[in-house]
């Protein structure tokens, strides 16, 4: 939380030429993503894949958003045997934003998400698939601003809770470098307990 407050203070204090009114809450983006688990016993396993998400402003200060990400990892076990793990995550939510200054917006959102886990074991002449899922809710508060005319940055903190999950802290840090009014490169990191997710993609804002 201390790092979040420091980042928020730096962002709010940064001199900028653009205004928060230039921030678009209608966009689509997609790219690559990686999920990593901080576990020394398992040698910090990770899985890579892709994601697609978007947001649409339905009112001056309200937007709806949704997305889907999927990562996978395969391991060879010898003698032709393999095991493949997959994790898919759809989400839907609604957000609210409010100007704090001419360069910074306060943001808050709530979302439903579903974690779909699947493991497939295969060997010559035999295969088996196991699936499981859990539903969860997430709520965050944060700020989003424009450090320069061609950059954006955002930081959020909140909680996630679900039927098969304990309440956990969520932290998000992201940014965008704009090529023009429409196109930009985005990068984002999200932390939930010992799990971190890193995404890098292209965004089209409208």
């Amino acid at each position: 939380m201390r790092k979040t407050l420091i980042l928020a203070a730096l962002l709010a204090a940064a001199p900028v030429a653009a205004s928060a009114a230039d921030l678009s809450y209608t966009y689509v983006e997609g790219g690559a993503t990686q999920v990593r688990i901080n576990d020394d016993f398992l040698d910090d396993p990770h899985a890579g894949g892709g994601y697609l998400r978007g947001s649409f402003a339905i009112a001056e200060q309200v937007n709806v958003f949704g997305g889907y990400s999927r990562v996978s990892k395969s391991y060879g076990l010898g003698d032709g045997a393999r095991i493949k793990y997959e994790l898919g995550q759809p989400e839907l939510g609604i957000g609210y934003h409010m100007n704090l200054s001419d360069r910074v917006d306060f943001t808050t959102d709530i979302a439903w998400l579903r974690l779909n886990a699947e493991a497939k074991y295969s060997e010559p002449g035999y295969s088996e698939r196991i699936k499981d899922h859990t539903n969860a809710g997430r709520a965050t508060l944060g700020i989003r601003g424009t450090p320069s005319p061609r950059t954006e940055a955002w930081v959020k903190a909140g909680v996630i809770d679900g039927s098969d999950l304990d309440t956990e802290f969520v932290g998000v840090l992201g940014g965008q470098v704009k090529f023009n009014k429409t196109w930009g490169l985005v990068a984002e990191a999200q932390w939930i307990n010992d799990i971190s997710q890193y995404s890098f993609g292209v965004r089209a804002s409208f």
Side-chain angles (χ1 to χ4, degrees):
M1 180 59 74
R2 183 186 176 194
K3 291 182 179 179
T4 299
L5 293 174
I6 292 173
L7 287 170
L10 289 174
L11 179 60
V16 294
S19 69
D22 294 328
L23 295 171
S24 174
Y25 288 85
T26 297
Y27 58 82
V28 293
E29 70 175 77
T33 189
Q34 183 183 89
V35 173
R36 182 178 294 272
I37 301 174
N38 184 18
D39 191 314
D40 293 336
F41 180 76
L42 297 176
D43 195 25
D44 297 336
H46 63 276
Y51 78 96
L52 180 67
R53 64 185 174 196
S55 173
F56 183 75
I58 59 174
E60 184 177 353
Q61 295 177 282
V62 182
N63 64 293
V64 293
F65 59 89
Y68 182 79
S69 66
R70 189 174 188 86
V71 297
S72 63
K73 182 75 172 182
S74 296
Y75 297 91
L77 305 178
D79 296 326
R82 297 188 64 83
I83 188 167
K84 181 178 182 180
Y85 298 100
E86 293 184 344
L87 178 64
Q89 180 183 308
E91 73 169 5
L92 293 171
I94 186 167
Y96 170 82
H97 58 275
M98 177 181 66
N99 287 126
L100 294 180
S101 71
D102 60 353
R103 61 201 181 199
V104 177
D105 277 0
F106 163 80
T107 66
T108 181
D109 61 64
I110 56 173
W112 162 88
L113 56 92
R114 179 184 176 100
L115 302 175
N116 298 313
E118 181 176 321
K120 181 180 180 181
Y121 172 82
S122 62
E123 62 181 39
Y126 175 79
S127 66
E128 182 178 0
R129 189 186 303 265
I130 300 174
K131 296 183 179 181
D132 197 9
H133 70 272
T134 185
N135 293 295
R138 186 192 65 225
T140 65
L141 303 173
I143 58 172
R144 181 184 178 195
T146 52
S148 74
R150 290 192 176 273
T151 60
E152 292 182 18
W154 55 90
V155 59
K156 299 191 292 184
V159 294
I160 184 172
D161 194 8
S163 56
D164 298 320
L165 297 173
D166 294 329
T167 302
E168 299 285 356
F169 168 80
V170 178
V172 179
L173 178 64
Q176 177 179 199
V177 177
K178 301 177 182 178
F179 299 128
N180 51 44
K181 187 175 181 180
T182 302
W183 295 102
L185 290 177
V186 291
E188 186 176 89
Q190 177 176 262
W191 297 274
I192 304 174
N193 197 3
D194 292 328
I195 301 174
S196 55
Q197 182 173 7
Y198 304 96
S199 303
F200 180 80
V202 177
R203 175 180 291 185
S205 302
F206 306 98

